[in-house]
């Protein structure tokens, strides 16, 4: 029976997941305040026809950024879940080489 070793790839995915999880709210909501202030061009910072167009674009950007941030977190979570926490020593060595940029 082959001894198992912690998977360096899983550990890197887990570290990435922890980092993204920690910052997800900040990234997802970075445009939220500006979006609320503009309120589609009917807000309290700028009003006019051009403000409505710009406010609409800002709202779309806020929505897209939030969606993409959560999709990134879901993708990292999925990749981490699909990779074993432990691998053979040979696989761990291979993963370390891959992560270091030395294929093979």
């Amino acid at each position: 029976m082959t001894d198992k070793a912690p998977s360096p790839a899983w550990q890197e995915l887990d570290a990435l997941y922890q980092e993204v999880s920690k910052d997800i709210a900040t990234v997802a909501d970075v445009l939220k305040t500006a979006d609320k202030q503009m309120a589609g061009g009917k807000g309290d910072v700028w009003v006019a026809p051009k403000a409505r167009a710009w406010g609409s674009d800002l709202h779309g950007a806020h929505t897209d950024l939030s969606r993409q941030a959560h999709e990134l977190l879901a993708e990292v979570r999925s990749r981490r879940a699909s990779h074993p926490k432990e691998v053979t020593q040979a696989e761990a060595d291979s993963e370390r080489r891959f992560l270091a940029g030395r294929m093979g």
Side-chain angles (χ1 to χ4, degrees), residues 7-74:
S7 166
W10 188 92
Q11 290 174 332
E12 287 293 320
L13 287 166
D14 187 55
L16 178 59
Y17 179 78
Q18 299 305 322
E19 188 69 23
V20 172
S21 293
K22 179 180 64 134
D23 296 329
I24 192 75
T26 302
V27 171
D29 290 340
V30 74
L31 297 176
K32 185 177 185 176
T33 300
D35 186 26
K36 281 179 138 182
Q37 289 173 333
M38 282 301 297
K42 300 174 197 157
D44 57 5
V45 294
W46 180 26
V47 294
K50 288 188 183 213
R52 283 188 289 280
W54 195 85
S56 178
D57 290 347
L58 178 62
H59 179 72
H62 165 63
T63 302
D64 288 347
L65 179 60
S66 181
R67 177 185 49 78
Q68 290 171 6
H70 286 91
E71 285 175 357
L72 172 64
L73 182 62

Side-chain angles (χ1 to χ4, degrees), residues 8-9 12 94-102:
E12 287 293 320
S94 178
E95 287 180 5
R96 273 191 286 284
R97 285 191 302 275
F98 177 80
L99 292 169
R102 298 184 314 259

